[in-house]
């Protein structure tokens, strides 16, 4: 059975931040949109996602570390008996009829009550025998249900609501949180499976899809923008795509390739609620074999030492 720590390449003592960082790096490398011709990458992506789902849940991680569940979240022992220190069990509805352990000393009353329907009467300490017979465990909530939601890059940047269909067939509009990124988890209370103690939760893990020409750096959006030679030399107003729609950008006269211009407030919404910027890097696109351009610079030479800073 796969070890989720090995799958993510982290130590068992890894912090939540280290686990999240490892998952983000692997998810970016293995994302199906970037490996359309590599089915093995899709399998690995699914494996690292499952590993992150387990290790990012504090309860599941603790149970795995104690050997109570395997790397897929299934119980490792029949009837919920664990290793040293494990206590009574409580039935949890769901696949395989797994059981959830409780911390603390063993309560044999709960065990016998589960096996014989609570027929054994409670005997006080003065009467000898086992204390704790007849005490019922609180009813358990239903199992949590996990979902993965692929969100378009622009929607993630602008926090556009996402419509999702839950396991019960109901459709809801999901409001993305500020600071959303790949690996962000959202908990929908009471949207999981039903149980004796009420419904569990739905846990939605977000994947932000890559964009054809936008990239992300923290809360900033990056864009390489081609401009023509005359626009660079004389300056111009050019239309630029942003996550909010096209805007006009002023290119200063004498602009060089690599110059970066800033569009404030056109980036992702950060966790503080403040939006980042869009950073536009200019790239001068000179046409090949254009007679007019050749004639324009015929006999003209730029005498500047533009490579001196490189030592050549």
């Amino acid at each position: 059975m796969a070890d989720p720590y090995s799958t993510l390449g982290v130590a068992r003592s890894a912090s939540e931040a280290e686990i999240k960082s490892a998952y983000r790096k692997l998810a970016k490398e293995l994302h199906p949109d970037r490996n359309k011709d590599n089915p093995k990458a899709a399998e690995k992506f699914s494996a690292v996602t499952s590993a992150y789902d387990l290790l990012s849940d504090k309860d599941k991680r603790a149970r795995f570390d104690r050997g109570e569940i395997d790397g897929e979240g299934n119980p490792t022992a029949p009837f919920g008996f664990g290793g040293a220190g494990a206590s009574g069990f409580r039935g949890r509805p769901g696949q395989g009829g797994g059981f959830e352990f409780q911390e603390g000393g063993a309560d044999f009353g709960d065990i016998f009550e589960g096996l014989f329907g609570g027929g054994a009467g409670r005997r006080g300490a003065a009467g000898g025998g086992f204390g704790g017979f007849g005490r019922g465990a609180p009813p358990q909530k239903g199992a949590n249900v996990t979902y993965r939601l692929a969100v378009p890059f622009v929607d993630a940047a602008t926090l556009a609501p996402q419509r999702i269909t839950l396991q019960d067939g109901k459709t809801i509009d999901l409001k993305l949180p500020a600071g959303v990124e790949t690996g962000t988890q959202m908990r929908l209370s009471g949207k999981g499976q039903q149980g004796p103690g009420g419904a569990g939760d739905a846990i939605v893990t977000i994947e932000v899809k890559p964009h054809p020409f936008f990239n992300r750096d923290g809360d900033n959006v990056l864009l390489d923008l081609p401009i023509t030679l005359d626009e660079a030399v004389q300056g111009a107003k050019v239309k630029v795509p942003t996550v909010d729609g096209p805007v006009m950008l002023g290119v200063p006269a004498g602009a060089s390739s690599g110059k970066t211009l800033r569009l404030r407030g056109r980036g992702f919404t950060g966790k503080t609620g403040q939006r980042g910027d869009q950073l536009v890097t200019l790239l001068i696109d000179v046409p090949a074999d254009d007679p007019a351009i050749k004639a324009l610079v015929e006999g003209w030479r730029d005498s500047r030492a533009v490579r001196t800073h490189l030592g050549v």
Side-chain angles (χ1 to χ4, degrees):
M1 192 63 64
D3 182 338
Y5 291 103
S6 298
T7 300
L8 293 180
V10 297
R12 283 182 171 264
S13 58
S15 66
E16 292 181 18
E18 290 171 332
I19 290 172
K20 183 176 182 179
S21 176
Y23 169 71
R24 289 184 61 188
K25 179 180 178 181
L26 290 171
K28 185 176 181 180
E29 293 175 357
L30 300 171
H31 196 284
D33 287 348
R34 295 189 175 185
N35 298 272
K36 294 181 179 180
D37 300 325
N38 186 359
K40 290 186 177 180
E43 294 177 6
K44 292 180 180 179
F45 180 80
S46 178
V48 299
T49 297
S50 296
Y52 179 72
D53 283 344
L54 189 146
L55 295 182
S56 62
D57 186 310
K58 292 182 179 179
D59 177 60
K60 288 184 179 179
R61 181 180 181 184
R63 293 175 64 199
F64 176 80
D65 290 344
R66 293 195 298 267
E68 297 172 3
I69 59 174
D70 61 21
E72 296 180 356
N74 299 316
T76 56
F79 303 112
F81 287 103
S87 72
F89 54 82
R90 299 176 291 173
R92 165 182 276 182
Q95 183 177 1
F99 292 89
E100 181 177 287
F101 284 71
Q102 293 176 290
E103 288 296 324
D107 187 338
F108 291 97
D110 286 346
I111 296 176
F112 279 86
E113 192 170 62
L115 293 176
F116 302 112
R122 183 179 183 90
R123 290 184 288 176
F130 295 113
F133 276 34
R135 189 184 69 185
Q140 296 303 293
K141 287 187 176 182
N144 293 338
V145 178
T146 59
Y147 299 86
R148 301 205 67 79
L149 177 62
V151 178
F153 186 97
V154 170
D155 285 359
T158 58
L159 301 183
Q162 301 297 297
R163 180 157 293 184
I164 63 173
T165 301
L166 301 176
Q167 191 178 52
D168 59 7
K170 294 181 180 179
T171 299
I172 64 172
D173 286 331
L174 188 66
K175 183 179 180 181
L176 297 175
V180 66
E181 60 186 357
T182 294
T184 294
Q185 289 193 326
M186 303 178 64
R187 183 179 292 270
L188 307 180
S189 180
K191 298 298 184 180
Q193 294 183 6
Q194 288 293 332
D201 300 334
I203 299 175
V204 182
T205 301
I206 302 297
E207 294 173 22
V208 179
K209 299 172 65 175
H211 193 275
F213 45 81
F214 291 133
N215 287 294
R216 181 176 184 176
D217 181 18
D219 293 331
N220 293 331
V221 172
L222 309 182
L223 173 71
D224 289 337
L225 181 71
I227 60 173
T228 62
L229 181 60
D230 60 295
E231 289 171 338
V233 173
Q234 301 179 68
K237 289 282 188 180
V238 298
K239 186 178 288 188
V240 180
T242 76
V243 294
D244 299 305
V247 299
M248 298 303 294
L249 175 69
V251 175
S256 301
S257 281
K259 182 177 181 62
T260 299
L261 305 177
R262 184 182 298 269
L263 292 171
R264 297 194 179 277
R266 300 286 182 171
F268 278 74
T269 302
K271 293 182 179 179
T272 62
Q274 184 173 356
R275 290 190 65 174
D277 303 328
Q278 178 167 313
L279 305 181
V280 181
T281 300
L282 304 179
L283 300 176
I284 301 175
D285 189 343
V286 179
D289 300 322
D290 188 314
I293 291 180
K294 288 184 177 180
L296 186 65
V297 298
E298 185 70 30
W300 177 81
R301 294 290 181 272
D302 190 337
S303 60
R304 295 176 304 152
V306 296
R307 291 176 287 278
T308 301
H309 68 288
L310 300 178
V312 295

